[in-house]
PDB file of all heavy atoms in Angstrom:
ATOM      1  N   TYR J  32     -26.714 -31.301-193.582  1.00 94.00           N
ATOM      2  CA  TYR J  32     -26.984 -29.908-193.885  1.00 94.00           C
ATOM      3  C   TYR J  32     -26.046 -29.325-194.929  1.00 94.00           C
ATOM      4  O   TYR J  32     -25.030 -30.006-195.243  1.00 94.00           O
ATOM      5  CB  TYR J  32     -26.959 -29.071-192.662  1.00 94.00           C
ATOM      6  CG  TYR J  32     -28.004 -29.413-191.614  1.00 94.00           C
ATOM      7  CD1 TYR J  32     -27.597 -30.043-190.467  1.00 94.00           C
ATOM      8  CD2 TYR J  32     -29.346 -29.059-191.831  1.00 94.00           C
ATOM      9  CE1 TYR J  32     -28.626 -30.386-189.541  1.00 94.00           C
ATOM     10  CE2 TYR J  32     -30.295 -29.466-190.885  1.00 94.00           C
ATOM     11  CZ  TYR J  32     -29.918 -30.099-189.747  1.00 94.00           C
ATOM     12  OH  TYR J  32     -30.842 -30.445-188.753  1.00 94.00           O
ATOM     13  N   CYS J  33     -26.352 -28.186-195.398  1.00 97.00           N
ATOM     14  CA  CYS J  33     -25.490 -27.527-196.420  1.00 97.00           C
ATOM     15  C   CYS J  33     -24.175 -26.984-195.734  1.00 97.00           C
ATOM     16  O   CYS J  33     -24.235 -26.509-194.634  1.00 97.00           O
ATOM     17  CB  CYS J  33     -26.194 -26.265-196.968  1.00 97.00           C
ATOM     18  SG  CYS J  33     -27.566 -26.678-198.150  1.00 97.00           S
ATOM     19  N   MET J  34     -23.096 -27.274-196.555  1.00 97.00           N
ATOM     20  CA  MET J  34     -21.766 -26.741-196.133  1.00 97.00           C
ATOM     21  C   MET J  34     -21.186 -26.028-197.378  1.00 97.00           C
ATOM     22  O   MET J  34     -21.487 -26.407-198.536  1.00 97.00           O
ATOM     23  CB  MET J  34     -20.848 -27.845-195.682  1.00 97.00           C
ATOM     24  CG  MET J  34     -21.290 -28.582-194.493  1.00 97.00           C
ATOM     25  SD  MET J  34     -21.238 -27.644-192.960  1.00 97.00           S
ATOM     26  CE  MET J  34     -19.415 -27.329-192.782  1.00 97.00           C
ATOM     27  N   ALA J  35     -20.397 -25.028-197.076  1.00 98.00           N
ATOM     28  CA  ALA J  35     -19.804 -24.266-198.187  1.00 98.00           C
ATOM     29  C   ALA J  35     -18.483 -23.601-197.815  1.00 98.00           C
ATOM     30  O   ALA J  35     -18.176 -23.520-196.591  1.00 98.00           O
ATOM     31  CB  ALA J  35     -20.800 -23.218-198.618  1.00 98.00           C
ATOM     32  N   PHE J  37     -16.576 -19.948-198.571  1.00 98.00           N
ATOM     33  CA  PHE J  37     -16.617 -18.579-199.118  1.00 98.00           C
ATOM     34  C   PHE J  37     -15.259 -17.987-199.035  1.00 98.00           C
ATOM     35  O   PHE J  37     -14.317 -18.538-198.440  1.00 98.00           O
ATOM     36  CB  PHE J  37     -17.529 -17.788-198.203  1.00 98.00           C
ATOM     37  CG  PHE J  37     -19.051 -18.043-198.296  1.00 98.00           C
ATOM     38  CD1 PHE J  37     -19.533 -19.261-197.796  1.00 98.00           C
ATOM     39  CD2 PHE J  37     -19.878 -17.106-198.919  1.00 98.00           C
ATOM     40  CE1 PHE J  37     -20.945 -19.487-197.889  1.00 98.00           C
ATOM     41  CE2 PHE J  37     -21.219 -17.396-199.004  1.00 98.00           C
ATOM     42  CZ  PHE J  37     -21.778 -18.563-198.516  1.00 98.00           C
ATOM     43  N   ILE J  47     -19.452 -16.812-202.325  1.00 98.00           N
ATOM     44  CA  ILE J  47     -19.415 -18.236-202.288  1.00 98.00           C
ATOM     45  C   ILE J  47     -18.519 -18.820-203.311  1.00 98.00           C
ATOM     46  O   ILE J  47     -18.519 -18.390-204.481  1.00 98.00           O
ATOM     47  CB  ILE J  47     -20.850 -18.880-202.274  1.00 98.00           C
ATOM     48  CG1 ILE J  47     -20.797 -20.309-201.941  1.00 98.00           C
ATOM     49  CG2 ILE J  47     -21.501 -18.632-203.656  1.00 98.00           C
ATOM     50  CD1 ILE J  47     -22.183 -20.932-201.701  1.00 98.00           C
ATOM     51  N   ALA J  50     -20.039 -25.221-202.714  1.00 98.00           N
ATOM     52  CA  ALA J  50     -21.025 -25.747-201.784  1.00 98.00           C
ATOM     53  C   ALA J  50     -21.199 -27.275-201.984  1.00 98.00           C
ATOM     54  O   ALA J  50     -21.043 -27.767-203.109  1.00 98.00           O
ATOM     55  CB  ALA J  50     -22.309 -24.985-201.896  1.00 98.00           C
ATOM     56  N   ILE J  51     -21.653 -27.879-200.879  1.00 98.00           N
ATOM     57  CA  ILE J  51     -21.861 -29.306-200.999  1.00 98.00           C
ATOM     58  C   ILE J  51     -23.126 -29.661-200.236  1.00 98.00           C
ATOM     59  O   ILE J  51     -23.296 -29.174-199.124  1.00 98.00           O
ATOM     60  CB  ILE J  51     -20.632 -30.113-200.433  1.00 98.00           C
ATOM     61  CG1 ILE J  51     -20.821 -31.683-200.665  1.00 98.00           C
ATOM     62  CG2 ILE J  51     -20.330 -29.803-198.974  1.00 98.00           C
ATOM     63  CD1 ILE J  51     -19.549 -32.419-200.561  1.00 98.00           C
ATOM     64  N   ASP J  52     -23.985 -30.382-200.889  1.00 97.00           N
ATOM     65  CA  ASP J  52     -25.312 -30.869-200.341  1.00 97.00           C
ATOM     66  C   ASP J  52     -25.086 -32.046-199.418  1.00 97.00           C
ATOM     67  O   ASP J  52     -24.082 -32.638-199.475  1.00 97.00           O
ATOM     68  CB  ASP J  52     -26.258 -31.107-201.472  1.00 97.00           C
ATOM     69  CG  ASP J  52     -26.629 -29.968-202.317  1.00 97.00           C
ATOM     70  OD1 ASP J  52     -26.040 -28.904-202.133  1.00 97.00           O
ATOM     71  OD2 ASP J  52     -27.550 -30.061-203.200  1.00 97.00           O
ATOM     72  N   SER J  58     -21.364 -27.744-206.090  1.00 98.00           N
ATOM     73  CA  SER J  58     -21.592 -26.664-207.042  1.00 98.00           C
ATOM     74  C   SER J  58     -20.478 -25.689-206.739  1.00 98.00           C
ATOM     75  O   SER J  58     -19.973 -25.521-205.666  1.00 98.00           O
ATOM     76  CB  SER J  58     -22.895 -26.035-206.901  1.00 98.00           C
ATOM     77  OG  SER J  58     -23.274 -25.814-205.579  1.00 98.00           O
ATOM     78  N   ALA J  96     -18.523 -22.527-193.926  1.00 98.00           N
ATOM     79  CA  ALA J  96     -19.822 -22.063-193.452  1.00 98.00           C
ATOM     80  C   ALA J  96     -20.789 -23.220-193.437  1.00 98.00           C
ATOM     81  O   ALA J  96     -20.693 -24.165-194.220  1.00 98.00           O
ATOM     82  CB  ALA J  96     -20.368 -20.908-194.363  1.00 98.00           C
ATOM     83  N   ALA J  97     -21.746 -23.141-192.501  1.00 97.00           N
ATOM     84  CA  ALA J  97     -22.848 -24.130-192.473  1.00 97.00           C
ATOM     85  C   ALA J  97     -24.177 -23.488-192.538  1.00 97.00           C
ATOM     86  O   ALA J  97     -24.350 -22.416-191.913  1.00 97.00           O
ATOM     87  CB  ALA J  97     -22.669 -24.977-191.146  1.00 97.00           C
ATOM     88  N   ASP J  98     -25.137 -24.090-193.126  1.00 96.00           N
ATOM     89  CA  ASP J  98     -26.567 -23.636-193.213  1.00 96.00           C
ATOM     90  C   ASP J  98     -27.402 -24.806-192.591  1.00 96.00           C
ATOM     91  O   ASP J  98     -27.613 -25.811-193.355  1.00 96.00           O
ATOM     92  CB  ASP J  98     -26.975 -23.322-194.591  1.00 96.00           C
ATOM     93  CG  ASP J  98     -28.412 -23.042-194.801  1.00 96.00           C
ATOM     94  OD1 ASP J  98     -29.095 -22.882-193.714  1.00 96.00           O
ATOM     95  OD2 ASP J  98     -28.871 -23.020-195.959  1.00 96.00           O
ATOM     96  N   LEU J  99     -27.853 -24.603-191.373  1.00 94.00           N
ATOM     97  CA  LEU J  99     -28.505 -25.662-190.733  1.00 94.00           C
ATOM     98  C   LEU J  99     -30.081 -25.592-190.993  1.00 94.00           C
ATOM     99  O   LEU J  99     -30.849 -26.307-190.351  1.00 94.00           O
ATOM    100  CB  LEU J  99     -28.309 -25.561-189.220  1.00 94.00           C
ATOM    101  CG  LEU J  99     -26.846 -25.742-188.866  1.00 94.00           C
ATOM    102  CD1 LEU J  99     -26.704 -26.006-187.292  1.00 94.00           C
ATOM    103  CD2 LEU J  99     -26.135 -26.782-189.618  1.00 94.00           C
ATOM    104  N   ASP J 100     -30.453 -24.848-191.930  1.00 94.00           N
ATOM    105  CA  ASP J 100     -31.899 -24.765-192.401  1.00 94.00           C
ATOM    106  C   ASP J 100     -32.129 -25.477-193.677  1.00 94.00           C
ATOM    107  O   ASP J 100     -33.316 -25.684-194.103  1.00 94.00           O
ATOM    108  CB  ASP J 100     -32.309 -23.273-192.541  1.00 94.00           C
ATOM    109  CG  ASP J 100     -32.320 -22.574-191.185  1.00 94.00           C
ATOM    110  OD1 ASP J 100     -32.727 -23.179-190.204  1.00 94.00           O
ATOM    111  OD2 ASP J 100     -32.008 -21.409-191.190  1.00 94.00           O
ATOM    112  N   ASN J 101     -31.047 -25.900-194.377  1.00 93.00           N
ATOM    113  CA  ASN J 101     -31.225 -26.566-195.696  1.00 93.00           C
ATOM    114  C   ASN J 101     -30.231 -27.678-195.865  1.00 93.00           C
ATOM    115  O   ASN J 101     -29.236 -27.717-195.166  1.00 93.00           O
ATOM    116  CB  ASN J 101     -31.019 -25.486-196.810  1.00 93.00           C
ATOM    117  CG  ASN J 101     -32.040 -24.413-196.807  1.00 93.00           C
ATOM    118  OD1 ASN J 101     -33.210 -24.641-197.265  1.00 93.00           O
ATOM    119  ND2 ASN J 101     -31.684 -23.243-196.248  1.00 93.00           N
ATOM    120  N   LYS J 102     -30.545 -28.539-196.763  1.00 94.00           N
ATOM    121  CA  LYS J 102     -29.654 -29.704-197.018  1.00 94.00           C
ATOM    122  C   LYS J 102     -29.351 -29.814-198.539  1.00 94.00           C
ATOM    123  O   LYS J 102     -28.477 -30.668-198.894  1.00 94.00           O
ATOM    124  CB  LYS J 102     -30.191 -31.031-196.497  1.00 94.00           C
ATOM    125  CG  LYS J 102     -31.575 -31.397-197.137  1.00 94.00           C
ATOM    126  CD  LYS J 102     -32.001 -32.771-196.523  1.00 94.00           C
ATOM    127  CE  LYS J 102     -33.265 -33.294-197.228  1.00 94.00           C
ATOM    128  NZ  LYS J 102     -33.735 -34.483-196.726  1.00 94.00           N
ATOM    129  N   GLU J 103     -29.966 -29.138-199.397  1.00 94.00           N
ATOM    130  CA  GLU J 103     -29.687 -29.239-200.825  1.00 94.00           C
ATOM    131  C   GLU J 103     -29.876 -27.845-201.522  1.00 94.00           C
ATOM    132  O   GLU J 103     -30.259 -26.879-200.798  1.00 94.00           O
ATOM    133  CB  GLU J 103     -30.661 -30.278-201.477  1.00 94.00           C
ATOM    134  CG  GLU J 103     -32.124 -29.909-201.210  1.00 94.00           C
ATOM    135  CD  GLU J 103     -32.971 -31.208-201.650  1.00 94.00           C
ATOM    136  OE1 GLU J 103     -32.449 -32.048-202.390  1.00 94.00           O
ATOM    137  OE2 GLU J 103     -34.200 -31.102-201.439  1.00 94.00           O
ATOM    138  N   TRP J 104     -29.504 -27.823-202.746  1.00 93.00           N
ATOM    139  CA  TRP J 104     -29.397 -26.549-203.420  1.00 93.00           C
ATOM    140  C   TRP J 104     -28.552 -25.561-202.660  1.00 93.00           C
ATOM    141  O   TRP J 104     -28.885 -24.384-202.492  1.00 93.00           O
ATOM    142  CB  TRP J 104     -30.787 -26.005-203.768  1.00 93.00           C
ATOM    143  CG  TRP J 104     -31.640 -26.777-204.559  1.00 93.00           C
ATOM    144  CD1 TRP J 104     -32.647 -27.661-204.146  1.00 93.00           C
ATOM    145  CD2 TRP J 104     -31.505 -26.991-205.997  1.00 93.00           C
ATOM    146  NE1 TRP J 104     -33.188 -28.284-205.239  1.00 93.00           N
ATOM    147  CE2 TRP J 104     -32.497 -27.898-206.399  1.00 93.00           C
ATOM    148  CE3 TRP J 104     -30.702 -26.431-207.043  1.00 93.00           C
ATOM    149  CZ2 TRP J 104     -32.686 -28.304-207.770  1.00 93.00           C
ATOM    150  CZ3 TRP J 104     -30.865 -26.813-208.273  1.00 93.00           C
ATOM    151  CH2 TRP J 104     -31.888 -27.744-208.629  1.00 93.00           C
ATOM    152  N   CYS J 105     -27.493 -26.092-202.135  1.00 95.00           N
ATOM    153  CA  CYS J 105     -26.648 -25.350-201.142  1.00 95.00           C
ATOM    154  C   CYS J 105     -25.934 -24.200-201.601  1.00 95.00           C
ATOM    155  O   CYS J 105     -25.543 -23.284-200.820  1.00 95.00           O
ATOM    156  CB  CYS J 105     -25.753 -26.290-200.456  1.00 95.00           C
ATOM    157  SG  CYS J 105     -26.616 -27.662-199.473  1.00 95.00           S
ATOM    158  N   PHE J 106     -25.813 -24.011-202.882  1.00 94.00           N
ATOM    159  CA  PHE J 106     -25.177 -22.924-203.503  1.00 94.00           C
ATOM    160  C   PHE J 106     -26.013 -21.641-203.389  1.00 94.00           C
ATOM    161  O   PHE J 106     -25.541 -20.486-203.500  1.00 94.00           O
ATOM    162  CB  PHE J 106     -24.778 -23.137-204.988  1.00 94.00           C
ATOM    163  CG  PHE J 106     -23.651 -22.298-205.444  1.00 94.00           C
ATOM    164  CD1 PHE J 106     -22.399 -22.546-205.273  1.00 94.00           C
ATOM    165  CD2 PHE J 106     -24.000 -21.212-206.264  1.00 94.00           C
ATOM    166  CE1 PHE J 106     -21.369 -21.739-205.703  1.00 94.00           C
ATOM    167  CE2 PHE J 106     -23.029 -20.315-206.788  1.00 94.00           C
ATOM    168  CZ  PHE J 106     -21.687 -20.702-206.507  1.00 94.00           C
ATOM    169  N   LEU J 107     -27.265 -21.871-203.115  1.00 94.00           N
ATOM    170  CA  LEU J 107     -28.264 -20.795-203.328  1.00 94.00           C
ATOM    171  C   LEU J 107     -28.761 -20.110-201.983  1.00 94.00           C
ATOM    172  O   LEU J 107     -29.410 -19.167-202.040  1.00 94.00           O
ATOM    173  CB  LEU J 107     -29.524 -21.205-204.098  1.00 94.00           C
ATOM    174  CG  LEU J 107     -29.207 -21.869-205.430  1.00 94.00           C
ATOM    175  CD1 LEU J 107     -30.509 -22.399-206.086  1.00 94.00           C
ATOM    176  CD2 LEU J 107     -28.528 -20.844-206.352  1.00 94.00           C
ATOM    177  N   HIS J 108     -28.247 -20.718-200.879  1.00 93.00           N
ATOM    178  CA  HIS J 108     -28.878 -20.303-199.649  1.00 93.00           C
ATOM    179  C   HIS J 108     -28.042 -19.391-198.858  1.00 93.00           C
ATOM    180  O   HIS J 108     -26.879 -19.142-199.150  1.00 93.00           O
ATOM    181  CB  HIS J 108     -29.155 -21.582-198.774  1.00 93.00           C
ATOM    182  CG  HIS J 108     -30.071 -22.516-199.333  1.00 93.00           C
ATOM    183  ND1 HIS J 108     -31.457 -22.165-199.658  1.00 93.00           N
ATOM    184  CD2 HIS J 108     -29.980 -23.821-199.704  1.00 93.00           C
ATOM    185  CE1 HIS J 108     -32.033 -23.164-200.213  1.00 93.00           C
ATOM    186  NE2 HIS J 108     -31.221 -24.209-200.246  1.00 93.00           N
ATOM    187  N   GLU J 109     -28.605 -18.793-197.843  1.00 94.00           N
ATOM    188  CA  GLU J 109     -27.909 -17.925-196.918  1.00 94.00           C
ATOM    189  C   GLU J 109     -27.209 -18.860-195.848  1.00 94.00           C
ATOM    190  O   GLU J 109     -27.874 -19.854-195.474  1.00 94.00           O
ATOM    191  CB  GLU J 109     -28.891 -16.892-196.185  1.00 94.00           C
ATOM    192  CG  GLU J 109     -29.528 -15.955-197.140  1.00 94.00           C
ATOM    193  CD  GLU J 109     -28.544 -14.875-197.695  1.00 94.00           C
ATOM    194  OE1 GLU J 109     -27.634 -14.534-197.000  1.00 94.00           O
ATOM    195  OE2 GLU J 109     -28.672 -14.517-198.847  1.00 94.00           O
ATOM    196  N   TYR J 110     -26.084 -18.476-195.363  1.00 96.00           N
ATOM    197  CA  TYR J 110     -25.384 -19.196-194.337  1.00 96.00           C
ATOM    198  C   TYR J 110     -25.314 -18.346-193.050  1.00 96.00           C
ATOM    199  O   TYR J 110     -25.149 -17.152-193.077  1.00 96.00           O
ATOM    200  CB  TYR J 110     -24.000 -19.646-194.861  1.00 96.00           C
ATOM    201  CG  TYR J 110     -24.026 -20.734-195.776  1.00 96.00           C
ATOM    202  CD1 TYR J 110     -24.462 -20.518-197.169  1.00 96.00           C
ATOM    203  CD2 TYR J 110     -23.693 -22.006-195.432  1.00 96.00           C
ATOM    204  CE1 TYR J 110     -24.561 -21.509-197.995  1.00 96.00           C
ATOM    205  CE2 TYR J 110     -23.756 -23.017-196.398  1.00 96.00           C
ATOM    206  CZ  TYR J 110     -24.172 -22.833-197.678  1.00 96.00           C
ATOM    207  OH  TYR J 110     -24.292 -23.857-198.539  1.00 96.00           O
ATOM    208  N   ASP J 111     -25.449 -19.118-191.956  1.00 93.00           N
ATOM    209  CA  ASP J 111     -25.524 -18.316-190.656  1.00 93.00           C
ATOM    210  C   ASP J 111     -24.460 -18.811-189.650  1.00 93.00           C
ATOM    211  O   ASP J 111     -24.524 -18.382-188.502  1.00 93.00           O
ATOM    212  CB  ASP J 111     -26.907 -18.428-190.122  1.00 93.00           C
ATOM    213  CG  ASP J 111     -27.531 -19.761-190.107  1.00 93.00           C
ATOM    214  OD1 ASP J 111     -26.809 -20.764-190.332  1.00 93.00           O
ATOM    215  OD2 ASP J 111     -28.741 -19.886-189.836  1.00 93.00           O
ATOM    216  N   TRP J 113     -20.241 -19.587-189.226  1.00 98.00           N
ATOM    217  CA  TRP J 113     -19.019 -19.350-189.963  1.00 98.00           C
ATOM    218  C   TRP J 113     -17.853 -19.756-189.094  1.00 98.00           C
ATOM    219  O   TRP J 113     -17.811 -19.620-187.819  1.00 98.00           O
ATOM    220  CB  TRP J 113     -18.888 -17.844-190.231  1.00 98.00           C
ATOM    221  CG  TRP J 113     -20.031 -17.319-191.031  1.00 98.00           C
ATOM    222  CD1 TRP J 113     -21.214 -16.845-190.722  1.00 98.00           C
ATOM    223  CD2 TRP J 113     -20.023 -17.282-192.513  1.00 98.00           C
ATOM    224  NE1 TRP J 113     -21.995 -16.536-191.764  1.00 98.00           N
ATOM    225  CE2 TRP J 113     -21.244 -16.764-192.926  1.00 98.00           C
ATOM    226  CE3 TRP J 113     -19.093 -17.593-193.448  1.00 98.00           C
ATOM    227  CZ2 TRP J 113     -21.658 -16.586-194.228  1.00 98.00           C
ATOM    228  CZ3 TRP J 113     -19.382 -17.431-194.820  1.00 98.00           C
ATOM    229  CH2 TRP J 113     -20.697 -16.917-195.163  1.00 98.00           C
TER     230      TRP J 113
END
Side-chain angles (χ1 to χ4, degrees):
Y32 297 106
C33 290
M34 297 292 294
F37 286 73
I47 189 167
I51 187 163
D52 294 10
S58 48
D98 171 13
L99 303 192
D100 293 322
N101 295 283
K102 64 178 183 179
E103 56 190 350
W104 299 102
C105 295
F106 201 80
L107 304 178
H108 297 302
E109 298 289 328
Y110 285 73
D111 49 9
W113 301 89

